[in-house]
Amino acid sequence: MSASIRDIKANSSKWINEKQLVKGKFEWQEGFGAFTLGHSQLPTIINYIKKQEEHHSKKSFKEEYLQFLNAYEVDYKEAYLFDEM
């Protein structure tokens, strides 16, 4: 899986930079998280994506991610999750 994610990140950042879709150089953060969801959850996921900008005005990505990890009892060390910029 790691090699696939590495390739996706490399190719997508190259495409974004070639198309100049953002100001400056686009780069992915180091690392990644991968989760699976069932087909029955598709409507909820679509709704979440549609309202993501509104949702993240109330809760940061980091807050949401940690809440998700805790809800599903994923073991983690917070010190390794996010680089504070």
Side-chain angles (χ1 to χ4, degrees):
M1 165 135 3
S2 295
S4 297
I5 299 298
R6 180 199 62 226
D7 292 346
I8 291 167
K9 288 169 69 173
N11 289 313
S12 62
S13 59
K14 180 181 177 195
W15 181 81
I16 290 168
N17 286 316
E18 286 174 350
K19 300 289 183 184
Q20 298 179 337
L21 298 177
V22 298
K23 292 182 181 181
K25 184 179 180 187
F26 176 83
E27 294 180 312
W28 287 100
Q29 68 182 32
E30 288 187 39
F32 66 91
F35 305 93
T36 61
L37 298 164
H39 188 269
S40 64
Q41 296 165 306
L42 193 56
T44 303
I45 296 163
I46 291 169
N47 188 51
Y48 171 83
I49 292 168
K50 286 180 178 179
K51 295 182 177 184
Q52 194 168 18
E53 187 173 344
E54 175 187 336
H55 177 78
H56 283 288
S57 70
K58 298 173 187 165
K59 184 187 298 184
S60 73
F61 173 75
K62 181 178 180 178
E63 291 170 325
E64 182 177 29
Y65 192 76
L66 292 174
Q67 186 178 26
F68 182 84
L69 293 175
N70 290 323
Y72 291 96
E73 300 178 2
V74 175
D75 290 331
Y76 66 91
K77 292 185 180 183
E78 191 170 348
Y80 297 114
L81 290 179
F82 297 93
D83 284 336
E84 300 298 329
M85 295 180 161

